[in-house]
Amino acid sequence: MAMMMLRRRLLAGMGGEWRSGLGVASRDWSFGNGFMTLGGIERDFTCLSSSSATSGGQMRHSEVGGVTNRVTSSSSALTAQNPLDMMMMMMTRGEQRFMSTMTDLKTSSSSSIGAEQQAAMVSSMMESAAEHASSRVPVYDLNKQPVSGADGAPAHIELPDDVFAEPVRVDILHRVVRWQLAKRQQGTHVTKTRSDVRGGGRKPWQQKGSGRARQGTIRAPQWRGGGVVHGPVLRSHAHSLQKRVRRLGLKCAVSAKIAEGRFLVVDALQPEDAKTATMKGHVGKLLEGAPRESVLFVDTTPVDELQLGIRNIPWVDVLPVGGMNVYSILQRDFLILTKDAVDEFINRMRRPIRPCSRTP
C-alpha cells in the first residue's frame, strides 16, 4: 500500500488525474501537499501539479476515482527536467534523512551511469520512503465522541503503513494461530501401561491343560481393566516459529481489522467506575450499529481494575499491549486501542529482532 501511494506521487498529473507513465520530461512541475480520504481514513500524499495552475496558498479540489482530494499547492514553483529530479523534489520535503542519498542520485543522473543502476537506486529510495508513509484516524472517547486536540480541531493519530497496512496473508495467520494453540496446550494427558496398572502379578492359569488361551497377566491390554497400548504420554505440544513470522502475523491481524473498518482508537480507557453496567454502556456506544458487541480492548496501563467491569460482559475482553496476540484479535469482531497503546505497539513492531547466536 505504501509503495502504491509513492507510485501515485510519481504519477500525479495535471488536474489531479493519475497518469500511467513518467512522461514528464517536457513539463515544469511544482509541489503540493494534502490528504486523501479513503474509507474514513485520511492518507498523506504529495501531488505534483502543473506550475501554470499553481499559485501561493491556493486550494483546489480534484476528484480521482470518486474520491475528493484536498490539495494545497506550494507557494514556490520548483521545476524538474527528468524523473530523477522530480523524485528529488518530492523527497526533500519532510524526509531530510535521505537528502545525501538523493544528492548523490542527482549527481549520478547527469553522469554516465547505466540505466539499470539508476533504476536500482530509485527503487531503493522508494522502498525507504514507503516505510514513512502513514494514515490518519480520528481519536474518540468512550462515548465515541471525537476528542479535540490542542488547537480545538478533532484529534487524529498517525498509523504508519509499515505496521498497520500490511497485506493480509491467511497462511501466516493460520501458522501463528496453530503455534499459539499448540503452545498453550497443557500436554498433561497420560495413560497407564500394563506395568503401571495395579495387580496382575501372577499368571491367571497354567500354561497348558485348561483348554483356554494362554495368558500371563490379567493386566494385559486385551483384558478389561488392563493397560493401554500406544496411549498419550506426558509431553509438550509446542513447536517453534520464527519471530519474524510471529511479528508478521500480528501485523496482518491488526491490518485486517483496519481494512474491515473494525478498528478504533480511544483517548483512554478510564471510565467513571469499573462497574459492569458502566462498561456495557460504553461498549454499546462504541459499537453502535454492529451486529454484536464483540470487542477486544488494549491499553498500556494495568487492566486488573478494568477487568472487573468487563469480565461479566460476553464477547468483550481486555489485554495489555504486551499481551496482544493474533488469536485474541481474530476471536473478536472489533479491536480498540488507546493512543498510548498504539505508540507502544508501533515501537514493539519496529524493535529489531535479535539474531540467533552463531553456531561453531
Side-chain angles (χ1 to χ4, degrees):
M1 184 177 295
M3 293 298 296
M4 185 183 300
M5 292 172 57
L6 189 56
R7 192 176 297 112
R8 286 180 174 178
R9 295 183 185 181
L10 291 175
L11 303 182
M14 295 180 58
E17 298 176 356
W18 305 119
R19 300 288 184 178
S20 60
L22 290 174
V24 297
S26 61
R27 296 184 181 274
D28 292 338
W29 301 83
S30 62
F31 258 119
N33 291 333
F35 297 103
M36 181 167 60
T37 303
L38 294 175
I41 300 178
E42 290 187 351
R43 293 198 167 275
D44 298 328
F45 74 100
T46 302
C47 183
L48 295 169
S49 61
S50 174
S51 60
S52 61
T54 305
S55 61
Q58 180 183 358
M59 291 290 293
R60 61 188 179 87
H61 295 267
S62 60
E63 186 167 339
V64 180
V67 179
T68 302
N69 302 328
R70 185 179 71 257
V71 181
T72 305
S73 301
S74 174
S75 59
S76 60
L78 305 177
T79 60
Q81 300 301 326
N82 56 55
L84 298 179
D85 288 338
M86 183 179 68
M87 167 69 84
M88 282 195 60
M89 282 197 313
M90 180 188 66
M91 298 293 291
T92 52
R93 292 177 60 91
E95 286 149 349
Q96 300 295 333
R97 67 184 62 186
F98 304 112
M99 179 67 80
S100 59
T101 305
M102 294 166 206
T103 304
D104 296 339
L105 179 60
K106 181 176 175 65
T107 304
S108 61
S109 63
S110 59
S111 61
S112 58
I113 66 173
E116 295 182 359
Q117 187 176 354
Q118 289 188 18
M121 296 177 69
V122 171
S123 177
S124 177
M125 287 196 306
M126 290 177 64
E127 292 177 0
S128 299
E131 296 179 357
H132 302 277
S134 61
S135 307
R136 303 177 71 213
V137 296
V139 179
Y140 300 101
D141 59 11
L142 290 179
N143 294 322
K144 206 177 182 181
Q145 298 299 320
V147 177
S148 300
D151 55 353
H156 290 76
I157 189 170
E158 298 288 338
L159 301 181
D161 286 352
D162 63 315
V163 177
F164 294 94
E166 191 72 31
V168 180
R169 292 185 53 181
V170 180
D171 60 322
I172 296 295
L173 295 175
H174 177 257
R175 289 179 61 185
V176 177
V177 169
R178 285 191 64 250
W179 170 77
Q180 278 190 242
L181 297 182
K183 189 176 180 64
R184 80 175 188 178
Q185 190 170 349
Q186 291 183 351
T188 54
H189 39 52
V190 64
T191 57
K192 292 183 178 181
T193 62
R194 58 184 295 170
S195 62
D196 299 324
V197 180
R198 181 177 180 273
R202 68 179 180 87
K203 192 175 178 64
W205 50 78
Q206 60 185 3
Q207 182 80 354
K208 296 179 179 292
S210 65
R212 290 179 290 183
R214 54 193 175 188
Q215 301 291 335
T217 174
I218 61 174
R219 296 300 179 243
Q222 71 271 19
W223 283 74
R224 178 180 177 273
V228 178
V229 181
H230 308 307
V233 296
L234 185 66
R235 69 183 182 94
S236 172
H237 291 266
H239 58 269
S240 62
L241 188 64
Q242 299 93 328
K243 290 183 180 179
R244 57 186 178 88
V245 177
R246 284 141 52 182
R247 179 173 295 186
L248 179 59
L250 199 52
K251 290 181 181 180
C252 289
V254 177
S255 300
K257 294 299 182 184
I258 296 177
E260 295 172 355
R262 298 182 176 185
F263 178 84
L264 292 175
V265 178
V266 296
D267 187 31
L269 285 177
Q270 296 178 351
E272 299 81 4
D273 50 16
K275 294 184 177 180
T276 302
T278 303
M279 288 305 304
K280 188 171 179 61
H282 291 319
V283 171
K285 292 179 181 179
L286 288 171
L287 307 184
E288 185 177 3
R292 65 172 184 173
E293 296 178 354
S294 173
V295 60
L296 171 65
F297 289 100
V298 180
D299 197 4
T300 56
T301 59
V303 296
D304 297 339
E305 183 178 355
L306 191 62
Q307 182 71 27
L308 297 176
I310 288 182
R311 63 186 180 185
N312 287 333
I313 305 177
W315 304 324
V316 178
D317 296 323
V318 59
L319 286 175
V321 66
M324 284 183 64
N325 60 87
V326 175
Y327 184 73
S328 297
I329 293 174
L330 299 181
Q331 197 177 26
R332 301 304 172 204
D333 295 346
F334 284 82
L335 176 63
I336 299 180
L337 274 72
T338 62
K339 291 194 303 182
D340 295 337
V342 170
D343 296 335
E344 189 169 334
F345 180 71
I346 294 173
N347 295 333
R348 175 184 171 188
M349 292 295 101
R350 289 179 173 175
R351 189 178 302 123
I353 298 176
R354 186 174 61 181
C356 299
S357 59
R358 297 174 57 184
T359 56

